[in-house]
Amino acid sequence: MEDDELVAFREHWKQELQKNTKGESTASNNLGIVSSQSSTTDTKTTYFRDSCKDNVPLKQERKNFSTLSGPDSASNSNQAREVRHTLHKSLEERATHQPQYVSIAEGLLDGRTSPLLDRILEERTRKRQHGHTDEQPQKRVHTGKKLLDQLIQDLNDINDIPFFDVELPYELALKIFQFLDRRDLGSCAQVSKAWKVLAEDEVLWYNLCQKEGYHIGASLLDSPCWKSSLRDSRNSDKLVCSNWKNRVGSISQLQYELGKILCDVSCCSGYVFAGYTSGDVRLWDTHHWDSGASYLRPSHANTDVTPKPHISHVQVNRTVAAAAFEDGSVDVWSTESGPEPIHTLQHLQRVHDLVLSPDHPSLATACGADVRVDCPDEKGYWRTRCITQLPKPVDHLCLVPGRHASVLAVASASESAYVVEPGQEHRVLHCVYGHPVTCLDVSHTQAAMGVKSCGWAMNDGGNKIQVYSLETGKLAASVGSSAGDFTCINLRDAPPHLLVCGNKDRRVRVFDLRSGVSVVSLYAHHLGVTAVQADEWKVVSGGGEGLVCVWETRMAAKLWEMHNRHPVRHIWFDTSTLVTVNIPDEKSPRGACITDDDLTAHRRHRGVICLYDFSEDASVQDHVLPICRSNYMESSGYNYNIGLAMPYDTLRGPSAS
């Protein structure tokens, strides 16, 4: 609609201007000859006078002027001077009644050059004479006007930016400044007033915000000052990083009722999904805390089956959550529609592994040697894409992220790894006889697996991690040389070209896949590493003894640690949130009945989900960790090795009543 309005405006404007241009071209040429002998100021004035034509009859002035400009015009110099004065006066009167943009447009239509060069030369001459500095050009104001008004305003705001000894248009200079980062823009803003206005243009800082990952999806008009928005976002990140290092924030435990032992937990994009031995599942939205929609009803709730089957595996992503039960059934819920399952499928035996694509509602299950892939169609109906039978039972299963059109799965069975794609025969990705695969993870383009070496292969460096390209199926890198088995790998969430893994030899290692060397090696957990995740500056690891450690990658130093009773089976964190899950190995504890009211026995066997929020303001008392606010008389502060917000000797005892 705006494009049609602009085209119609241009055509109408051009037609109106051409009416007065045809009959006055002779006067323009004669006036150009006379004005060429004048000063720079006369040239600029002549441009606007020549371009501001109206219907005033000028035939007599043109005739007299052409007669006096002949060979004998020297004797009639006084008369020529009077005619030129009369013509200039007439043009000046008409120029005062016409807008400036009409004059500029007439000049552009007639093919004349812009008067801006003459104006710049005049301004430079005046500055050299009076010693004045550069004047600040007008900054464009983004208003809600129509496209026609904006066009007229842009024509009136034309200004050139000085680049050394060259004058560039504002748009071209803005295009050059788009290649600078925020530090270079700050330096350019100190050169001159004109460069300062250009370096603080909203388009430049909006692009920097998008490039650094802030305010993704926002438009240019959503913020009045994108430079301030970028500064506030970076300060917030610095505060969160400081809170991470100093363990400042809020901590909470995701509680549940008595009689339920934790079986499995999955986290994604603020969702925490947990399954219990009672067959119940619960979904937390840590961003909104909508407790009314947290309880999900499994399909067994509508039957009279007792006891309810245990949960074996759970998975969640941004749109759906899935849970597998011990009897082979699988339920799928929507994270937005409600507590009832939207899809249910049944296997003939126990499900060995269950995975969801992190960015698409695609579900893959492994039951014995069979791999099944299900996903919804365009209308939302769930369909089975493929059922593939592998030579051996499946141990690990992963879905490749970023595959919306064609789902791609990677499965490991004993010493072999396979690529499963709907509509095609499965192909072998890795196979070494007698060397089983101990762990598996995939990214958009690669698959990494820990391989246990046996017999003579131990003399060739021990256990290794093999990284394969999913496109070519060739070995891309082989890293690691350890006597212990690799227990966990994180390739999908790791920084580019890095891989973080845990081993039974108590160490956490970060490998550079480009060089194949170990960047960091951390001695962490004496019962082996069970879960690990890393980003650009930190590593979070969990061990079989229940210890969670936070490390700084650059210094290879431990920042802090937290301990719970059971092994750490799951770790997930984003910019400001950390979720740790301690799941007991014994699902039916002996010597204690967890259905009783004995809270001590129940806490000993149930497992725990801890949520850490480091985005809180440390200056607010309510956001200090509860253990840091306790005094020496409270039982919650007993048997914890944690630094208090203030020493014990500054705390006062309870006042006497």
Side-chain angles (χ1 to χ4, degrees), residues 368-371 388-394 411-418 420 425-428 431:
D370 297 332
V371 176
T388 304
Q389 186 175 10
L390 302 180
K392 295 182 179 181
V394 177
S412 65
S414 186
E415 67 272 359
S416 303
Y418 305 90
V420 179
E425 188 70 19
H426 65 272
R427 53 188 175 92
V428 179
C431 183

Side-chain angles (χ1 to χ4, degrees), residues 396-407:
H396 306 90
L397 182 64
C398 293
L399 282 177
V400 179
R403 299 279 185 141
H404 295 173
S406 60
V407 182

